[in-house]
Amino acid sequence: MLNTFCKSFITCWNHFVEDSENPKLSKEAKIYWSINPKTKGGNKISHEVEFVVDANFGVPGAIIVTNKYKKEFYLESIVAIEGLVHFACNSWVQPHGFHAHNRIFFSNKVYLPNDTPVGLKRLREKELQQLRGNSDDSRTTSDRIYDYDVYNDLGNPDKGDEFIRPILGNQSQPYPRRCRSKRPPTNSDVNVESPVSKYMPKYVPRDEAFGDLKAKAITEGKWKAMLRSLIPTLKQKAAINGEAIKSFSDITELYKESLPPFEEGGDECWEKGGLPKLRNKMIKECGQDVFKFDSPKLISRDIPSCCLRDDELGRLTLAGMNPLSIERLKVFPPVSNLDPSIYGPQDSALKEEQIICHLNGMSVQQAIEENKLFILDYHDVYLPFLDRINAHPTKKAYATRTIFVLTDMGSLKPIAIELSLPEKNRNGPPKCVVTPPVDATTCWLWQLGKAHVCSNDAGAHQLIHHWLRTHACLEPFIIAAHRQLSVMHPIYKLLHCHMRYTMDVNAQGRQLLLNAGGIIESHFFTAACSMEVSASVYQNWWRFDMESLPADLIRRGMAVPDATEPHGLKLLIEDYPYATDGLLIWSAIEQLVQAYVHYYYPEANIIESDSELNAWYHESINIGHADIRHASWWLKLSTPNNLISILTTIIWLASAHHAAVNFGMYPYGGHFPVRPPFMRRLVPNERDPDYTTFLADPEGYFLASLPCLDQMLHYISVLHILSTHSADEEYLGDRKDLSAWAGDPEIVEAFYKFSMEMKKIGKEIEKRNGDPNLRNRCGAGISPYELLLPSSGPGVTCRGVPNSVSI
């Protein structure tokens, strides 16, 4: 089907799947687009074409297409021999004048490289060569070239020294590779690629670009974000221009159901600037609701203070937007692994006497042995960067450790927070501990400490568990798949829907979110250090063999191996919604992949002889993750079980892991007093000049520590965009391409079983969310944990597991 209507033609040749080096070729067939097109809804158009072939031509295996028109068109599919042969094309075909090579489309028949008919082998390799391209060529937006590059596109030294950023992807700062875009270098540094601009557009291979519905959803989201950022100006109240928030009511009013009326005479003041015309146009085009913020799931019930309750902090470590940092405490006091000659003593300031009163008569050692103590430990992640972070005029941070005790009801309760600064800092003592309050003063100190913990957690969520572990680390596997796996390859067909849109999302992320002065640097406490924090974690902590859900849970001490349990492990916190729901999905993915791999690779020798499969995995590691390619923990692609583990991990990361950390960003992070992405003040101490100000007005001090309102309006608007499902989302268990396995009914049956399992999992999760015994997901004022419910409608729903890393 063609989605472009024009007055020219395309030419096609049909190849027969023949076991000879010179396959049979049909005569050229032309389609004149203006003659007898058949419309099939929307902008889809179908044409009929006749191929003239010999009587003994046989079943076609490939079609070559040339576009003689001056514009590109999207070729969805070709059906031949009365529907017996199907070519799922789903690709943009460029004009022959722009791209000299013809396009090759293969039928839906699956072939391993060694099983490919001789007549198709040359075309199979030719198509892959086209996709690899030439690394020296420049790129245009119509290209389909997949190649690798380092992260040399984050800075912009031409704008000044403050926009210089290190290149990531070398021995000093290892990082995964991105898709090469080949923009020219900056004037100031030939090693840095120029940023995206009107004259140097963003590049992703043409078929990786967002579809119309996805692009429209993001554009509308950006439009609404711009409008919402104007709210303080339009209302002529609230803190703007960097001033501190005056009262909690300034915050709560953002989430009211309707916009308060403008003050009398307010419009007049803006007539001269033309703002009313702009405002009226916005309202007319987007509707009055554009000015409203939907109430996030996490609106604190502690009105009017809006502070985060202890029980909510504990619950959100298990069932919030970042349930991947919590660990079982194994040693007390915690010990740093940083170099003491650089970062000071490794000892913690936490003492047994500070927490023993919360342990129900147990000693700390007893509590550790009985798996009652847990920790959020960001000490080593952030301490090396704090001097640079705290040099920022409006961002102040600690490297925090938070100790939790597991209550008899299965919930976590914070009992101590350690706040660490570099040894030689001038902002206060290098280490201090705050504990649950005993009076008014310690109440506010505790609230400030928790806010700094949440700020640390927001950075770890975005830079590590979200961006690094899904977006960045999966991109090399996606690039290598397009370069080394033919579309006829069974592993390409399996992974295809799990690669959708990821490269475009990542390219836009580098352009707008991760770049120097971008959204991440502007709105998170890590500021200009943000991507260096991510690179440090990649170098010192990330391991592909630890990225499966079971391995991750065991690594963090949240589970132990147990062959008697359904998933082969036992959770140490039974009511851990992310883990309990995630294990259901993990197991379903694993069972699907097992059936798939055993069908195509019943023996290890078939894997060893598959040149494309081995080239894909080798390139993913040795080029895509080149800086850590020599690590001993990489799985060997030698057995069906290892292949199952590799593929299950990739699909898990692209789908459920990403969904768990992406689509709850606005619902759980949109109420910023309880989850500020940065703080503007440190926790006051008695030697602090501002301590008397804190004592006189602790609420005012707390509000002044939060980001100012105009920053947060922009921040939560971005969260809203990133948390939104578009109308064309494709969810786990809902494959659109089952015709690709028409000749393999066992595989089609496996996908149908997987789809039914996703529906079953959805019902089980809903059942759990109604169980009053599961207090981390059910109870008065408790939001159910729905992030891993497989399906969703469009919008910000806080549920739904798309097949791929997308937004």
Side-chain angles (χ1 to χ4, degrees):
M1 295 182 185
L2 309 179
N3 74 346
T4 303
F5 184 84
C6 49
K7 296 181 179 180
S8 190
F9 60 88
I10 63 173
T11 58
C12 304
W13 294 267
N14 223 327
H15 273 263
F16 169 50
V17 181
E18 184 177 38
D19 291 323
S20 67
E21 292 187 7
N22 298 308
K24 294 180 180 179
L25 189 65
S26 74
K27 293 183 178 180
E28 178 182 292
K30 295 183 179 181
I31 303 174
Y32 290 89
W33 290 1
S34 61
I35 299 177
N36 299 323
K38 297 180 180 179
T39 304
K40 290 193 173 182
N43 59 354
K44 292 185 178 182
I45 298 174
S46 67
H47 290 267
E48 292 184 0
V49 60
E50 292 184 357
F51 291 94
V52 178
V53 298
D54 295 335
N56 61 347
F57 185 83
V59 178
I63 289 183
I64 299 176
V65 178
T66 303
N67 177 10
K68 296 296 183 67
Y69 185 55
K70 61 183 179 181
K71 294 182 179 180
E72 66 177 7
F73 67 87
Y74 187 79
L75 183 58
E76 183 178 282
S77 62
I78 300 172
V79 179
I81 315 180
E82 297 182 347
L84 294 178
V85 181
H86 190 87
F87 298 79
C89 307
N90 296 308
S91 182
W92 291 93
V93 180
Q94 302 302 322
H96 188 67
F98 294 163
H99 293 264
H101 57 260
N102 299 325
R103 289 298 308 276
I104 306 167
F105 296 101
F106 298 98
S107 71
N108 281 1
K109 180 72 174 176
V110 177
Y111 289 110
L112 290 170
N114 289 343
D115 298 332
T116 308
V118 176
L120 289 181
K121 281 187 176 181
R122 182 175 59 83
L123 292 179
R124 183 172 183 146
E125 179 55 33
K126 182 179 180 181
E127 169 72 358
L128 289 173
Q129 288 174 351
Q130 291 177 2
L131 293 168
R132 293 172 197 143
N134 186 330
S135 60
D136 295 329
D137 291 342
S138 60
R139 300 287 185 267
T140 66
T141 55
S142 61
D143 284 335
R144 297 169 60 243
I145 298 174
Y146 297 79
D147 201 0
Y148 302 90
D149 208 344
V150 296
Y151 277 63
N152 64 345
D153 59 342
L154 301 175
N156 186 6
D158 290 349
K159 290 181 66 176
D161 290 349
E162 67 270 28
F163 291 93
I164 295 175
R165 297 293 179 271
I167 295 172
L168 304 183
N170 48 61
Q171 289 303 308
S172 61
Q173 291 193 300
Y175 214 65
R177 298 302 186 259
R178 65 175 179 91
C179 181
R180 184 186 296 266
S181 46
K182 289 293 289 183
R183 291 188 298 275
T186 60
N187 295 323
S188 305
D189 188 341
V190 295
N191 295 312
V192 176
E193 189 172 270
S194 295
V196 171
S197 68
K198 178 180 179 181
Y199 303 103
M200 292 181 287
K202 165 181 66 72
Y203 172 77
V204 293
R206 181 65 182 96
D207 290 337
E208 305 300 317
F210 288 155
D212 291 343
L213 289 175
K214 176 73 74 174
K216 179 182 178 183
I218 292 177
T219 300
E220 289 177 352
K222 291 177 180 178
W223 181 245
K224 289 185 177 182
M226 180 183 69
L227 295 179
R228 283 166 173 162
S229 68
L230 294 174
I231 291 175
T233 304
L234 295 173
K235 291 174 64 177
Q236 301 183 47
K237 61 189 295 186
I240 58 173
N241 297 324
E243 295 181 7
I245 300 169
K246 303 302 182 185
S247 70
F248 281 108
S249 63
D250 287 342
I251 300 170
T252 57
E253 285 179 3
L254 297 177
Y255 306 98
K256 287 187 176 181
E257 290 297 320
S258 61
L259 185 70
F262 291 96
E263 295 177 9
E264 186 175 352
D267 280 353
E268 268 179 35
C269 352
W270 297 105
E271 284 290 351
K272 295 178 182 178
L275 188 58
K277 293 181 179 179
L278 174 63
R279 187 198 70 213
N280 292 338
K281 181 176 183 290
M282 291 174 174
I283 294 174
K284 181 178 179 181
E285 293 184 357
C286 298
Q288 180 69 18
D289 68 340
V290 74
F291 293 106
K292 304 173 186 176
F293 276 104
D294 301 323
S295 293
K297 274 183 176 285
L298 185 61
I299 290 286
S300 177
R301 276 71 180 174
D302 292 337
I303 303 298
S305 73
C306 295
C307 295
L308 182 64
R309 301 193 316 260
D310 288 0
D311 62 307
E312 279 290 87
L313 176 58
R315 188 179 72 84
L316 293 173
T317 63
L318 304 172
M321 63 190 287
N322 179 23
L324 292 108
S325 288
I326 190 69
E327 302 177 72
R328 178 171 59 88
L329 183 65
K330 301 170 185 175
V331 177
F332 188 87
V335 178
S336 170
N337 292 317
L338 296 175
D339 186 345
S341 66
I342 300 175
Y343 300 106
Q346 295 177 315
D347 298 334
S348 167
L350 289 160
K351 307 296 181 184
E352 182 162 356
E353 57 265 26
Q354 295 165 335
I355 65 172
I356 196 167
C357 61
H358 300 284
L359 303 183
N360 295 325
M362 291 184 289
S363 67
V364 171
Q365 188 57 37
Q366 286 176 312
I368 290 175
E369 292 172 357
E370 296 186 22
N371 301 319
K372 295 293 186 181
L373 291 178
F374 296 81
I375 186 171
L376 284 179
D377 191 348
Y378 294 125
H379 181 277
D380 290 6
V381 174
Y382 294 130
L383 193 71
F385 302 95
L386 284 184
D387 279 332
R388 291 165 59 193
I389 290 170
N390 287 329
H392 193 281
T394 62
K395 293 181 180 178
K396 306 300 174 185
Y398 298 96
T400 66
R401 289 187 176 114
T402 308
I403 306 295
F404 296 85
V405 63
L406 181 63
T407 70
D408 293 339
M409 293 189 296
S411 58
L412 291 179
K413 173 186 174 184
I415 57 175
I417 297 171
E418 181 184 48
L419 305 169
S420 296
L421 293 169
E423 186 70 16
K424 298 179 182 180
N425 83 92
R426 299 179 181 179
N427 296 306
K431 290 183 174 69
C432 67
V433 176
V434 293
T435 54
V438 295
D439 56 27
T441 299
T442 54
C443 177
W444 282 104
L445 292 174
W446 181 243
Q447 294 297 345
L448 285 163
K450 287 190 293 183
H452 276 280
V453 170
C454 291
S455 175
N456 270 200
D457 193 64
H461 160 264
Q462 196 65 266
L463 296 171
I464 301 170
H465 303 304
H466 183 201
W467 170 259
L468 174 65
R469 296 177 69 182
T470 62
H471 291 264
C473 286
L474 284 179
E475 186 164 358
F477 291 97
I478 295 171
I479 297 171
H482 287 285
R483 287 169 53 88
Q484 300 297 341
L485 297 176
S486 166
V487 295
M488 293 188 285
H489 198 287
I491 301 306
Y492 180 91
K493 289 181 179 292
L494 174 68
L495 293 179
H496 182 252
C497 71
H498 302 292
M499 303 187 290
R500 185 175 185 244
Y501 291 151
T502 301
M503 293 178 69
D504 200 345
V505 169
N506 288 3
Q508 295 201 38
R510 294 191 303 273
Q511 176 190 352
L512 301 171
L513 300 176
L514 305 167
N515 59 311
I519 290 169
I520 296 294
E521 290 192 1
S522 299
H523 296 308
F524 286 83
F525 77 93
T526 43
C529 304
S530 295
M531 288 299 286
E532 292 177 73
V533 171
S534 181
S536 173
V537 172
Y538 177 71
Q539 179 178 20
N540 299 314
W541 182 84
W542 186 85
R543 292 176 48 162
F544 182 74
D545 65 326
M546 294 286 111
E547 288 299 272
S548 74
L549 178 59
D552 175 62
L553 292 170
I554 292 170
R555 181 190 200 184
R556 292 189 282 123
M558 301 303 292
V560 293
D562 188 340
T564 66
E565 292 291 322
H567 306 289
L569 52 79
K570 177 180 176 59
L571 292 173
L572 299 184
I573 299 178
E574 293 183 6
D575 185 14
Y576 184 0
Y578 163 74
T580 55
D581 295 357
L583 285 169
L584 294 177
I585 295 178
W586 168 270
S587 295
I589 295 172
E590 186 176 47
Q591 290 170 15
L592 171 66
V593 175
Q594 284 173 344
Y596 196 90
V597 168
H598 287 314
Y599 180 80
Y600 290 107
Y601 300 96
E603 303 293 339
N605 66 303
I606 303 177
I607 292 176
E608 294 170 1
S609 64
D610 188 333
S611 58
E612 289 184 6
L613 181 67
N614 283 277
W616 163 68
Y617 191 59
H618 180 272
E619 187 172 288
S620 298
I621 296 171
N622 289 277
I623 301 179
H625 289 275
D627 305 321
I628 56 173
R629 64 187 181 277
H630 298 302
S632 61
W633 42 256
W634 286 106
L635 292 173
K636 306 299 182 184
L637 188 57
S638 55
T639 66
N641 284 341
N642 278 6
L643 178 57
I644 289 166
S645 180
I646 292 165
L647 295 173
T648 304
T649 299
I650 290 172
I651 294 172
W652 161 260
L653 291 170
S655 58
H657 177 122
H658 179 261
V661 296
N662 187 86
F663 296 104
M665 284 195 284
Y666 179 80
Y668 288 105
H671 190 56
F672 64 90
V674 300
R675 194 173 177 80
F678 71 89
M679 297 289 284
R680 304 208 300 175
R681 290 183 175 183
L682 297 172
V683 176
N685 62 78
E686 293 181 357
R687 293 179 295 171
D688 194 322
D690 289 337
Y691 193 70
T692 55
T693 303
F694 162 73
L695 292 177
D697 183 12
E699 180 178 302
Y701 189 96
F702 183 89
L703 290 169
S705 299
L706 296 174
C708 57
L709 199 59
D710 60 330
Q711 291 172 311
M712 285 303 93
L713 284 167
H714 186 224
Y715 170 70
I716 60 180
S717 295
V718 171
L719 292 187
H720 198 277
I721 296 172
L722 298 178
S723 303
T724 300
H725 290 294
S726 64
D728 69 340
E729 203 77 87
E730 295 179 4
Y731 295 96
L732 202 60
D734 183 25
R735 292 200 71 131
K736 310 294 186 184
D737 57 351
L738 289 183
S739 62
W741 295 275
D744 298 312
E746 296 93 335
I747 297 300
V748 174
E749 178 65 21
F751 280 116
Y752 276 127
K753 288 181 179 179
F754 181 68
S755 179
M756 293 301 103
E757 188 63 21
M758 287 299 106
K759 291 179 172 61
K760 181 180 176 182
I761 288 171
K763 291 180 180 179
E764 175 61 24
I765 292 174
E766 290 174 346
K767 179 182 175 182
R768 291 174 177 179
N769 284 332
D771 186 347
N773 295 314
L774 302 178
R775 292 178 170 83
N776 290 320
R777 63 196 309 161
C778 181
I782 298 297
S783 57
Y785 186 73
E786 299 178 318
L787 283 169
L788 292 179
L789 277 170
S791 63
S792 173
V796 179
T797 63
C798 201
R799 59 175 288 171
V801 181
N803 283 319
S804 61
V805 175
S806 183
I807 58 173

